[in-house]
Amino acid sequence: QVELAESGGGLVQAGGSLRLSCAASGRSFSPYAMAWFRQTPRTDREFVAVINWYSGRSDYEDSVKGRFTISLDNAKNTLFLQMTNLQPDDTALYYCAAGRIYNNDPMGYDYWGQGTQVTVSA
């Protein structure tokens, strides 16, 4: 089955940048969309960004527009999230996900990584 593995999280100061990666493996990996979500102890899993595997269409949660960029390397089955101008409110455990539909609902995704922690200090 499909496995997703995130990496690239860390501790940064406000205004800093990080790039998250998500490597996918498995014999039957053929997603229509891949996405990033984030979660804190105070919040449910929240949509961050999504990308269409074939068209490259992407959408973002309003608070990250202009700061985050989602991209993928189809040949290497790897998803990225370039995050700039990070703010304390961005602090969360970030998950990558893959699914057969393009949407911003975590229930629409079939495969999930274990998460990578992003912590932004003021």
Side-chain angles (χ1 to χ4, degrees), residues 40-113:
T40 76
R42 301 178 182 178
T43 64
D44 294 332
R45 194 160 298 188
E46 176 190 47
F47 169 76
V48 177
V50 59
I51 187 165
N52 184 296
W53 185 267
Y54 301 97
S55 72
R57 172 189 174 185
S58 60
D59 288 283
Y60 299 87
E61 193 273 326
D62 286 345
S63 70
V64 309
K65 289 180 179 177
R67 299 189 297 120
F68 291 9
T69 302
I70 188 171
S71 62
L72 59 83
D73 185 333
N74 305 72
K76 296 183 178 180
N77 291 338
T78 302
L79 178 73
F80 302 95
L81 184 68
Q82 179 66 51
M83 305 183 293
T84 62
N85 193 23
L86 284 161
Q87 301 298 311
D89 283 348
D90 296 315
T91 295
L93 187 65
Y94 283 71
Y95 296 91
C96 67
R100 300 184 66 186
I101 57 174
Y102 185 94
N103 70 96
N104 63 2
D105 188 338
M107 294 297 294
Y109 290 84
D110 304 305
Y111 303 104
W112 294 86

